[in-house]
Amino acid sequence: MLTDALKNQIRDIHRQLKSNLTNYQPRPGQNKMVAEIANTLAGSYHSYDRTLLVEAGTGTGKSLAYLMAAIPFAIKQKKTLVIATATVALQEQLVQKDLPFFLKHSGLTFEFCLVKGRQRYACVEKIRQQLQQPELLPLFQSTAPTALLQQLLTNWQQRQWLGDRDSLKEPIADEHWYGIASDPAHCNKANPAHHQCPFHLARAEIEGSSVLVVNHALLLADLDAGSQILPEPADCIYVIDEAHHLPDSGRDFFSAYAPLHFPAQYLEKLKKTTQQLAGVLPQQGAMTEVLKLDELASDFLKQLKPVQHQIELNQSAWFAKEPHYRFVDAVLPETFAAHADQLAEISGKALSAVEKLQQFLSEAVTEHKVATKLALPLQFELTAIEHRFEQQSELWRLYSVPQQKQVNQARWLSLDQKEQQHSSAYACPLSVSFLLDDLLFSQAFATILCSATLTTLNSFDYIKQELGLSQHPGLQTLKVDSPFDYQNKAHLLLPKMLTDPGSDAFTDELITKLPQYMDKKAGNLLLFASYWQMQKVVEALRSKGWSFLVQGEASRQSLLELHASKVKAGEGSILCGTQSFSEGLDLPGALLTNLVITKLPFAVPSSPLEEALSEAIIKRGGNPFLQMTVPATARKLVQACGRLMRQEMDHGRIVILDRRLVTKTYGKAMLNALPPFSRTIEE
């Protein structure tokens, strides 16, 4: 139970925080959120299943709410608070703003740090080696220019760069970053030369930190790997922020992809690498792994040939209409099914052999038995080989899982449109609910999941099912409304329209109607359901003298900066975008007072995963439109409308030019799921 001492401590912290917050306004919703989180963590509702779903409307102050409730409890119980977010923007807000503010004014003493994946960090020793031995540079097609390498090293030495990709002043191309990124083979802590590399310094911060900020992908990867970076789940309090993204993050993480083409020269290159390894590795046992890898690679390609042949025979039929071909009900063609087990087994053994050779090579370099000049190109080659076999192992492991009556995977092939002899295979779980429950919810000391859009059509049922929480005995839910005065500060207008959004004439009507709903002197945002429709409307209206800032015509950051400068100069600006501009776009105050949504953001089930999900629902006797499409669209609409009011004093108008909100049976539920804007529905 929640003790009086802890209650009083949280109240004291709250008083200290609000006295130091500029323009503080009382927020009953935030108080309720703090209380529910604290009671959940203390086991007031259930002795071991401490799980809470919280939808906190915009402006609630949810970040400070969960910090107020969770940090004092975590310190008292000697638990680690792990905060997982879906976006870099929220991570930066927590680490650069919310946590420093909380630490300064709470009266508590604790350490916090941002935990990122290894690939986000550079290996400074790798940079130094490439500069000291320029003769090595031609070996690596991905190597960054010498001038760039020198600048990075200088900035690191002068503490002007933190050594990670996110703190670079200028972005680096992917192929250049790949050549300097930290990886286990090169940047090994066992080698003293790498002790001061950014990755190892960052990992050292974890040990003394009570609060760790991660992204969803790293959290899932670490749980799946058996907690190699973060503490064991039983020792953690998890706050999953932006939790509506967690099911998709899970599908992305637990899916697999692998190219099915291996150029003839690939095997020759691999043989050359194994020969070089045999010549330089002094350790006993290394030769055994070299011979094993050589043999396994040959066996793998032999097993893959029938699969490649079947794709060639069926290419014109399978890819006649789309650049992808989905295996209905995840049933593999006979040749795929016959070889899946062996391909999974062989690629797994090959991966193990590569990992052992990486270890042998790393030890030889550390013990100065192999010169860096010889080892570095071999380490690069082994890393590339390891990546290939890792992809293959994950794919064929999923393909070798037999599908029961209730299909649990989507499986498909895709064809490279430029190199049509190149195909790739994909596998993706339809649901990750069991995996999330097994790895996270059933193992954690406590889990708090929150978001501004966690309910669907005013119900938690959809997200419960997606996350696998429907049967959790201690699960609590809380919906906290936004403190914003939507009724008086925001107006929703549904104009009369002549055409249905599904007809070809709808685009023409948009071109005719939009000018009367745009304000040339204000901050406007126009959201489109398709990139094609946006381009057609913009092109037509530009010919009539309208000016737009359009997604895709410049970087997102450049567009936002130009939009802000135009609005602040009193010129007004019209920003145009598609679905990615409907979430995570922050345009406070005058930057957005007029939001126009041209069409409900229905997703067309054209991707293989969406097709498979629809198919599975139909086989269970359900309706995929009502059970999948409508809930997803309702959530997207709430997110889109959420762009208008970001601060308490914001105000403006939302115009939705899609009459299905009033003509279709599902429309009323979608309207009622929106914040309580004042409404005008033209008849």
Side-chain angles (χ1 to χ4, degrees), residues 341-357:
D341 284 338
Q342 285 181 298
L343 286 166
E345 183 181 356
I346 295 170
S347 56
K349 287 180 178 178
L351 180 60
S352 177
V354 174
E355 290 169 348
K356 287 177 182 176
L357 286 170

Side-chain angles (χ1 to χ4, degrees), residues 40 49-53 441 446-449 469 472 474-476:
T40 300
D49 185 19
R50 299 176 171 93
T51 313
L52 173 66
L53 290 169
F441 304 129
T447 311
I448 311 299
L449 301 106
L469 291 172
H472 266 244
L475 178 68
Q476 301 296 309

Side-chain angles (χ1 to χ4, degrees), residues 18-31:
K18 69 183 183 183
S19 65
N20 287 281
L21 274 170
T22 307
N23 300 321
Y24 172 79
Q25 295 290 329
R27 294 177 177 176
Q30 186 184 60
N31 297 342

Side-chain angles (χ1 to χ4, degrees), residues 71 75 99 102-104 106 108-112 208-211:
I71 292 181
I75 292 173
L99 280 164
F102 185 88
L103 179 61
K104 181 178 180 180
S106 66
L108 298 175
T109 302
F110 63 93
E111 298 287 334
F112 64 87
S209 296
S210 304
V211 181

Side-chain angles (χ1 to χ4, degrees), residues 281-539:
L281 285 176
Q283 295 99 321
Q284 187 177 6
M287 181 57 73
T288 302
E289 296 304 325
V290 167
L291 294 173
K292 188 186 294 183
L293 176 60
D294 197 43
E295 184 180 346
L296 287 166
S298 297
D299 288 348
F300 180 82
L301 293 177
K302 285 177 186 175
Q303 288 290 329
L304 190 63
K305 274 190 177 178
V307 172
Q308 294 170 326
H309 184 58
Q310 186 169 24
I311 294 172
E312 289 171 11
L313 290 176
N314 292 279
Q315 182 170 321
S316 58
W318 285 355
F319 302 106
K321 296 180 180 179
E322 300 284 350
H324 64 258
Y325 176 74
R326 184 175 63 86
F327 301 123
V328 177
D329 289 336
V331 177
L332 295 174
E334 186 177 339
T335 306
F336 281 68
H339 291 81
D341 284 338
Q342 285 181 298
L343 286 166
E345 183 181 356
I346 295 170
S347 56
K349 287 180 178 178
L351 180 60
S352 177
V354 174
E355 290 169 348
K356 287 177 182 176
L357 286 170
Q358 287 278 32
Q359 186 177 351
F360 280 134
L361 192 56
S362 180
E363 289 171 358
V365 172
T366 302
E367 296 167 6
H368 304 290
K369 292 178 180 178
V370 176
T372 302
K373 182 177 180 178
L374 291 174
L376 195 58
L378 288 171
Q379 286 175 322
F380 268 85
E381 290 297 339
L382 279 174
T383 298
I385 295 168
E386 181 180 27
H387 178 63
R388 274 249 174 168
F389 279 116
E390 189 173 45
Q391 287 181 317
Q392 297 293 336
S393 177
E394 290 174 355
L395 175 80
W396 293 106
R397 180 177 55 81
L398 288 181
Y399 271 20
S400 65
V401 176
Q403 294 301 286
Q404 308 300 327
K405 286 185 178 180
Q406 188 166 336
V407 178
N408 55 35
Q409 281 185 28
R411 294 168 172 172
W412 70 95
L413 301 176
S414 72
L415 193 67
D416 190 310
Q417 294 301 289
K418 292 181 180 178
E419 300 286 345
Q420 297 224 340
Q421 71 273 28
H422 293 177
S423 58
S424 301
Y426 295 79
C428 181
L430 298 184
S431 171
V432 290
S433 58
F434 292 113
L435 291 165
L436 291 175
D437 190 27
D438 186 49
L439 292 174
L440 176 59
F441 304 129
S442 63
Q443 304 295 325
F445 176 81
T447 311
I448 311 299
L449 301 106
C450 57
S451 167
T453 51
L454 208 52
T455 61
T456 302
L457 301 174
N458 290 316
S459 170
F460 282 101
D461 290 347
Y462 187 75
I463 195 67
K464 283 183 191 178
Q465 184 178 346
E466 284 261 271
L467 293 170
L469 291 172
S470 299
Q471 304 303 317
H472 266 244
L475 178 68
Q476 301 296 309
T477 61
L478 173 67
K479 185 172 181 180
V480 178
D481 293 331
S482 169
F484 293 170
D485 185 6
Y486 288 111
Q487 185 70 29
N488 294 307
K489 294 289 185 67
H491 185 71
L492 175 63
L493 172 63
L494 268 71
K496 185 176 181 180
M497 299 289 286
L498 301 176
T499 53
D500 184 89
S503 73
D504 294 337
F506 184 71
T507 302
D508 294 328
E509 187 173 8
L510 284 180
I511 294 168
T512 303
K513 283 274 185 78
L514 270 174
Q516 62 186 288
Y517 300 113
M518 297 186 294
D519 187 343
K520 286 187 176 181
K521 296 295 183 183
N524 299 260
L525 174 62
L526 268 60
L527 293 175
F528 292 84
S530 75
Y531 194 76
W532 169 85
Q533 194 165 65
M534 177 177 71
Q535 286 184 310
K536 193 159 185 180
V537 170
V538 165
E539 182 182 354

Side-chain angles (χ1 to χ4, degrees), residues 611-627:
E611 290 172 359
L613 287 166
S614 296
E615 185 177 78
I617 291 172
I618 291 170
K619 286 191 174 295
R620 293 197 299 268
N623 182 321
F625 180 74
L626 294 178
Q627 291 175 240

Side-chain angles (χ1 to χ4, degrees), residues 252-306:
D252 288 343
F253 177 76
F254 291 109
S255 62
Y257 144 83
L260 297 183
H261 60 278
F262 280 78
Q265 63 267 33
Y266 178 78
L267 190 55
E268 294 174 15
K269 191 174 183 182
L270 193 147
K271 283 184 179 295
K272 184 179 177 181
T273 300
T274 55
Q275 288 169 1
Q276 290 174 322
L277 285 165
V280 302
L281 285 176
Q283 295 99 321
Q284 187 177 6
M287 181 57 73
T288 302
E289 296 304 325
V290 167
L291 294 173
K292 188 186 294 183
L293 176 60
D294 197 43
E295 184 180 346
L296 287 166
S298 297
D299 288 348
F300 180 82
L301 293 177
K302 285 177 186 175
Q303 288 290 329
L304 190 63
K305 274 190 177 178

